[in-house]
Amino acid sequence: MEEALKIQSLFIYPIKSCRGISVPQATVTQTGFQWDRYWLVVNYKGRAYTQRVEPKLALVESELPKEAFLEDWEPTKDTFLVVRAPGMSPLKIPLTKPSSIAEGVSMWEWSGSAFDEGEEAAKWFSDYLGKQSRLVRFNKETETRPSPPEFAAGYSTTFADMFPFLFASQASLDLLNTLLPEPVPINRFRPNFLVDNCEPFGEDLWDEIKINELVFQGVRLCSRCKVPLVNQETGVPGAAEPTETLMKFRSDKVLMPDKKARGKVYFGKEMVWNWNISNSEGKGSKTIRVGDTISVLKMMTSITEAAV
């Protein structure tokens, strides 16, 4: 008998492009996990910094209070996001709502306002990166950052790249590692969910899955940028791997030979929480825990459909 699909690990990345936190449980919201990509480091023009241009962000660690991952928890004035990096004193950011607003914040196609975390945080990141920077927090009260409507109409996210949730499986990573000159850890791919007991790349074809009472909808395969090249332990980008090996069996050219190749390479499945199905009355727990089982309700018919 096949073993049930299980959640092996859950990851939250409080600051966009900085190190993730492995958590025992997480609260699902319409824009992603609570606290996931709530903060963003921006340059003097308010534009997002990511590991694509600032790989040193990989070494910036975040710590949240353990109770922050409980459903319905509210911050108090003595609760903090604590930020650490090599050669830097710890930075404490109060979790209560900031009073200051930064206008003209932009990330990819989106621009809007965000909460500004103040001068101490700005100096900390400016010193660490060696260039003028500020730390901002997503303002859910006034801002919406829509996911691309051609793929996920009506859905939005905070400072994640495009979609609220990224799933990957341990078997996919294991298979890739058998082909690499040196194995890589899952942190190269920065998923929210790491799934066990899955066939390698079985997650590609998930159209609809259920975890407890929550239904998630498959959006598309995740096409990877330069970030998987960055060693997350050293903050140093490599020249080729794992992307070069992925190109041999996970590129659009290989997976979709009938389509025009654009040099894309895929690892992981982007998904949204379908709250219309899940909790029509808004009741029920929105907590997901390591060890929870996953039921696949509906599969896509082909890899072409999955990649869009």
Side-chain angles (χ1 to χ4, degrees):
M1 190 176 145
E2 277 188 27
E3 283 192 76
L5 297 174
K6 270 198 167 39
I7 296 171
Q8 180 177 314
S9 304
L10 295 167
F11 300 101
I12 288 173
Y13 307 84
I15 307 174
K16 167 78 178 168
S17 255
C18 296
R19 191 166 287 181
I21 306 172
S22 179
V23 295
Q25 65 179 60
T27 302
V28 171
T29 79
Q30 293 181 8
T31 58
F33 279 142
Q34 181 85 16
W35 304 114
D36 190 49
R37 277 94 169 190
Y38 274 27
W39 286 271
L40 177 71
V41 187
V42 297
N43 70 8
Y44 71 100
K45 290 182 174 173
R47 289 187 189 147
Y49 277 135
T50 74
Q51 285 187 36
R52 294 165 177 82
V53 289
E54 293 296 340
K56 272 177 73 176
L57 288 172
L59 304 184
V60 176
E61 293 180 29
S62 303
E63 184 189 344
L64 285 162
K66 285 189 172 59
E67 57 272 22
F69 304 110
L70 302 175
E71 208 169 320
D72 300 324
W73 179 79
E74 291 292 335
T76 59
K77 64 179 190 312
D78 48 6
T79 54
F80 301 90
L81 170 76
V82 183
V83 187
R84 296 180 175 88
M88 301 292 293
S89 302
L91 170 69
K92 290 172 83 172
I93 305 289
L95 289 177
T96 46
K97 191 165 78 175
S99 53
S100 180
I101 298 285
E103 299 290 349
V105 172
S106 64
M107 184 178 144
W108 319 152
E109 73 312 321
W110 175 87
S111 62
S113 66
F115 292 120
D116 190 320
E117 293 291 6
E119 295 310 317
E120 190 187 347
K123 184 176 186 327
W124 194 96
F125 277 98
S126 300
D127 289 348
Y128 179 65
L129 293 175
K131 51 186 77 169
Q132 199 177 326
S133 312
R134 295 195 81 79
L135 183 68
V136 299
R137 190 191 310 193
F138 197 84
N139 185 349
K140 283 191 176 189
E141 291 169 20
T142 64
E143 303 299 314
T144 304
R145 200 173 151 256
S147 293
E150 64 272 30
F151 300 113
Y155 291 93
S156 63
T157 185
T158 51
F159 292 128
D161 271 0
M162 281 195 270
F163 302 101
F165 297 99
L166 179 62
F167 285 71
S169 74
Q170 183 64 47
S172 303
L173 180 68
D174 291 345
L175 176 60
L176 171 61
N177 279 334
T178 64
L179 305 171
L180 287 173
E182 280 184 33
V184 295
I186 195 61
N187 64 14
R188 291 289 187 102
F189 299 103
R190 303 172 68 79
N192 299 110
F193 291 79
L194 183 63
V195 179
D196 204 9
N197 303 333
C198 186
E199 291 292 311
F201 300 102
E203 63 272 28
D204 287 358
L205 294 179
W206 293 349
D207 191 22
E208 209 172 82
I209 64 169
K210 193 173 188 182
I211 306 170
N212 306 327
E213 292 306 307
L214 305 174
V215 175
F216 292 82
Q217 208 83 39
V219 177
R220 64 175 189 180
L221 301 186
C222 182
S223 78
R224 308 308 307 213
C225 61
K226 293 194 298 192
V227 171
L229 295 172
V230 179
N231 182 321
Q232 299 294 303
E233 274 71 45
T234 63
V236 177
E241 295 295 3
T243 307
E244 198 169 272
T245 295
L246 282 168
M247 281 303 267
K248 293 173 187 165
F249 75 113
R250 294 291 298 171
S251 68
D252 52 359
K253 187 177 178 181
V254 174
L255 295 178
M256 295 166 283
D258 302 343
K259 295 240 176 185
K260 186 182 175 188
R262 295 187 184 154
K264 290 189 171 182
V265 61
Y266 300 101
F267 191 100
K269 177 80 175 191
E270 295 183 296
M271 304 194 83
V272 293
W273 167 43
N274 190 334
W275 62 86
N276 299 315
I277 298 176
S278 300
N279 283 304
S280 50
E281 297 91 38
K283 294 171 187 163
S285 171
K286 297 180 184 66
T287 298
I288 285 179
R289 294 176 175 83
V290 169
D292 283 350
T293 57
I294 298 174
S295 311
V296 179
L297 305 180
K298 215 192 289 182
M299 300 279 277
M300 291 179 175
T301 52
S302 70
I303 201 80
T304 308
E305 186 193 350
V308 187

